[in-house]
Amino acid sequence: MATTQELATQGVVVGMKALTGDVQPRVDIDTLLIEKPDTFNLMLQALALMQKNPNLLGYYSIAGIHGFPSTSWDGVLNEFSSKGANFGGYCPHGRMIFPTWHRPFLMLLEQTIYQNMVEIAGKYDQPHRDRYQLAAKAFRLPYLDYFRPRDDRGVKWPGPREDQWFKYDFRLPDVFNEPRINVKLAPSDTIKEIDNPLYAYRFKTETGQLPQGDWATTRGRFSTSQTLRWPTSTTQTEHDLPALSESLNKARQATITTFFDLITTAPYATLASVASDRLLATGDLTSFEKLDETKTKIVGSGSIEGFHGNYHNFIGGKGHMSDISVAAFDPVFWFHHAQIDRVWSLWQAFHPDVWFPKTTRPNQKSENEKDLLPFYRQRSGPGKGKFYTSDDTKNTEDLGYTYDDLVGWKKGDKTDALLKKLKAKYDWQRVKPDDPTVTAPKKTSVLPSYAKVHASYFFTGLSKPKTTSQPVPQPRSMKLHIVQSLNIAPPPAPAPVAMMMSMSMSMANTVPPVAESSVAAPSPPVAPVVTKKIDPVFDREWYVDSSVQRSAGHGPFTIYFFLAKPGEVPSADADSNVLARSPFLAGINHMFVASSDACDNCGDLEALGQISSDTTPITPLLLTYLELPEGNGLESLRPEHVKPFLIKYLRWRVVFKSGEMHDPRDLAEHSSFKIGVSAKVYHDDGTKTYEDYPEIVKAITDNASETAGA
């Protein structure tokens, strides 16, 4: 009978508990580097070894499960294939099993890295060998925490104000940004500089990576030699780090709100509402209400899948990470998905008894009972065996891992302490009505990791670190100025209403281009002390909600939302990188899809006419308009001020995968594109209610039309 280790070498997903005998937490990647350098050293070497391995458990083969190459993995047939073969991978985007499918996918890579680590550890001389063998057992795939500061050299707060800077930089961890990295090699534990396996994957063109037919499907949009982040051409050999840093810093202000919304708020309390970005409604889809398998209405336009797709774009730009077919080849993919699995695990902790709805259709399995292909639980030969189902993935501790946030927490425990822990970790960087200032982190664990990371031997003697931020001039303020005037009458408490409804609409296209200006970093103003009482200037968080047919772009496409006057939004012929770097960008909805000729699952969903939805928190950018000079600013975040402001300033652009911009009015006509405006309202008694404002959608559309000069 085969041992657990032998089963793992055959491609069976046995999990780290079966391999190591215990449960270990996944931690942020900088934490692993700083606190367990021996483990991190082995991980780097193991990943580099995998990237050279052309076999079934090599990096190229495992990454190829997600999308290209258009061949089966170990002969496993793809149930999503309408062509009777495998085209474009196994990943079930747009389906409720989106988070559960990715769990064994990560486990397969995790256990394969581990087995390579064990092999490498055995090559060291004593006493190093014992140390490294112990370090290997502590390995669990680290995650990429988007909300952990990496540096305390500041970044400009986006928007119209030139006097607002934020002290902390939330760029991609520097270990992803260096083309070369140091490791300590066997047998004598000697430091040597190597190509950094976290920087990029280099395709082995001599062995047909990828096949020419697959590259042809991408229509020349990507480098065929290596993965790139935020490229401006396919011939680059380095990432555009300033653009990547700017993207992540700008995104964080809104997505930290989405993070807490997804795991703690009522609109996302069912799996059908949180797991996938799909809408299951029928008819003309004039609202964002979702239906689960039992046709029960669920309200809420965001999802873990939508959150995940946007971060593919924030990290990738026009690079490989933004496209389903090739995203998994970028090494950062795995750490991004470990973060998404972490969000999913936190949601499970807050909703311990919620799971898939049972199907009402006779002789049909519920979603949680369906095979998660191609992940073996048992293998009897190539393509044959028993496969994971969603039910098999429910408890991460059974699989050998947890997350650092969840250490000591068990099902049935009250979630108050867990929420308190998350707030201690992140609330200092949020702006919200019951705490409208940004303060310094109070916990050592969330302080910037730059100094300790660069003090490690991994960076010793390398070229100057590729930091992308600018130092904030002294004196450094720990608070972001948000409000001063508190003399507006307090709002009446609104009654609970349905959240995130929409109206059909046509959309605008072009505006004249605007030149970007370069300004020096001024000293940010010091904010006054604000009480926890909800103030009348800032009593709600605002969202732009959108829905669109997944196949509208015949591949990935992005909707960019702006708060800007005519002439401040880049023109229709602007590059998508220019749109993404606009200081007036409020947020995006990135459709992380593939074309029907590249992905059978995507083709099936296109045939169904599936509609997907997302939500964009716009409060951070709205706040920058407070107290600007009359005629350009915003008096408060009350509806009587925000509604006319959005009619005047809300604009959007739609960019398809080839880079061309499309008239959103055409998208609305042919692809059921709709938007809505909604708000989460805070009350002094601690409750929150939701409002939507369909009455302003037509006026927004009319003002954003081409004839209006938008």
Side-chain angles (χ1 to χ4, degrees), residues 151-420:
D151 205 343
D152 61 357
R153 286 177 274 194
V155 293
K156 186 181 181 301
W157 195 274
R161 302 180 66 110
E162 296 182 353
D163 62 344
Q164 288 183 324
W165 283 68
F166 192 53
K167 178 178 178 180
Y168 296 100
D169 185 348
F170 294 81
R171 65 175 179 266
L172 202 64
D174 288 339
V175 73
F176 291 107
N177 300 334
E178 292 286 348
R180 304 276 289 176
I181 197 77
N182 291 330
V183 294
K184 290 185 176 181
L185 296 178
S188 57
D189 210 26
T190 304
I191 293 178
K192 183 178 179 180
E193 188 176 302
I194 65 170
D195 288 333
N196 183 1
L198 297 176
Y199 184 77
Y201 177 71
R202 293 168 178 84
F203 295 97
K204 314 301 185 292
T205 54
E206 67 278 6
T207 60
Q209 298 181 359
L210 289 166
Q212 286 301 313
D214 290 345
W215 280 127
T217 304
T218 69
R219 295 172 177 84
R221 291 181 293 118
F222 305 109
S223 166
T224 60
S225 61
Q226 69 171 80
T227 55
L228 290 170
R229 301 166 199 146
W230 282 86
T232 55
S233 77
T234 59
T235 60
Q236 286 178 221
T237 58
E238 294 186 346
H239 311 310
D240 186 340
L241 297 182
L244 172 55
S245 173
E246 185 177 336
S247 172
L248 289 175
N249 277 286
K250 189 180 297 182
R252 177 203 58 82
Q253 298 175 35
T255 56
I256 188 69
T257 295
T258 305
F259 170 80
F260 276 99
D261 283 349
L262 289 173
I263 62 178
T264 64
T265 60
Y268 305 105
T270 68
L271 191 143
S273 66
V274 76
S276 169
D277 64 11
R278 67 178 182 170
L279 290 180
L280 296 181
T282 57
D284 63 358
L285 297 172
T286 56
S287 82
F288 288 113
E289 289 182 328
K290 301 180 182 182
L291 304 178
D292 67 16
E293 298 292 349
T294 63
K295 304 303 180 185
T296 301
K297 287 186 177 181
I298 301 163
V299 182
S301 63
S303 65
I304 290 176
E305 183 178 6
F307 179 74
H308 132 276
N310 289 338
Y311 264 96
H312 269 280
N313 185 265
F314 296 145
I315 296 170
K318 294 194 298 182
H320 298 72
M321 267 288 283
S322 64
D323 189 295
I324 282 179
S325 299
V326 291
F329 293 113
D330 189 328
V332 77
F333 170 95
W334 304 96
F335 308 91
H336 158 57
H337 266 278
Q339 167 77 338
I340 297 303
D341 186 73
R342 172 177 173 246
V343 175
W344 172 236
S345 297
L346 289 169
W347 184 90
Q348 288 183 280
F350 281 92
H351 307 84
D353 299 318
V354 180
W355 199 232
F356 287 78
K358 295 295 183 183
T359 184
T360 57
R361 299 172 184 173
N363 303 318
Q364 182 171 327
K365 291 181 178 179
S366 297
E367 288 293 301
N368 52 300
E369 299 171 324
K370 294 180 180 179
D371 289 343
L372 303 178
L373 301 176
F375 307 118
Y376 295 114
R377 291 203 74 193
Q378 300 171 7
R379 182 181 180 274
S380 55
K384 299 177 181 178
K386 183 178 180 180
F387 298 93
Y388 272 80
T389 68
S390 294
D391 287 343
D392 298 324
T393 72
K394 192 172 184 180
N395 187 343
T396 64
E397 292 197 4
D398 291 342
L399 308 174
Y401 73 94
T402 183
Y403 287 94
D404 46 3
D405 311 284
L406 295 169
V407 171
W409 188 92
K410 60 183 183 296
K411 183 177 178 180
D413 289 351
K414 291 185 177 180
T415 56
D416 296 3
L418 179 57
L419 182 58
K420 183 178 180 181

Side-chain angles (χ1 to χ4, degrees), residues 365-528:
K365 291 181 178 179
S366 297
E367 288 293 301
N368 52 300
E369 299 171 324
K370 294 180 180 179
D371 289 343
L372 303 178
L373 301 176
F375 307 118
Y376 295 114
R377 291 203 74 193
Q378 300 171 7
R379 182 181 180 274
S380 55
K384 299 177 181 178
K386 183 178 180 180
F387 298 93
Y388 272 80
T389 68
S390 294
D391 287 343
D392 298 324
T393 72
K394 192 172 184 180
N395 187 343
T396 64
E397 292 197 4
D398 291 342
L399 308 174
Y401 73 94
T402 183
Y403 287 94
D404 46 3
D405 311 284
L406 295 169
V407 171
W409 188 92
K410 60 183 183 296
K411 183 177 178 180
D413 289 351
K414 291 185 177 180
T415 56
D416 296 3
L418 179 57
L419 182 58
K420 183 178 180 181
K421 181 187 293 187
L422 292 174
K423 286 186 173 182
K425 203 170 187 178
Y426 299 125
D427 251 12
W428 62 272
Q429 61 182 270
R430 299 176 66 195
V431 287
K432 57 187 189 301
D434 55 0
D435 192 4
T437 59
V438 176
T439 58
K442 298 178 177 62
K443 299 292 182 182
T444 303
S445 62
V446 297
L447 288 174
S449 49
Y450 173 87
K452 290 183 178 180
V453 165
H454 284 273
S456 70
Y457 68 82
F458 299 106
F459 288 83
T460 302
L462 296 179
S463 58
K464 187 178 179 181
K466 294 176 173 59
T467 58
T468 57
S469 54
Q470 302 180 50
V472 174
Q474 298 292 335
R476 292 180 177 177
S477 170
M478 296 298 185
K479 295 186 178 181
L480 173 70
H481 179 223
I482 297 298
V483 295
Q484 286 181 335
S485 302
L486 300 177
N487 56 358
I488 302 173
V497 296
M499 181 189 183
M500 304 177 183
M501 304 290 285
S502 73
M503 299 284 288
S504 299
M505 58 189 308
S506 61
M507 299 176 211
N509 189 19
T510 62
V511 296
V514 59
E516 293 187 8
S517 60
S518 177
V519 295
S523 219
V526 178

Side-chain angles (χ1 to χ4, degrees), residues 89-100:
Y90 299 85
C91 187
H93 291 86
R95 299 180 185 264
M96 205 184 306
I97 60 174
F98 163 78
T100 55

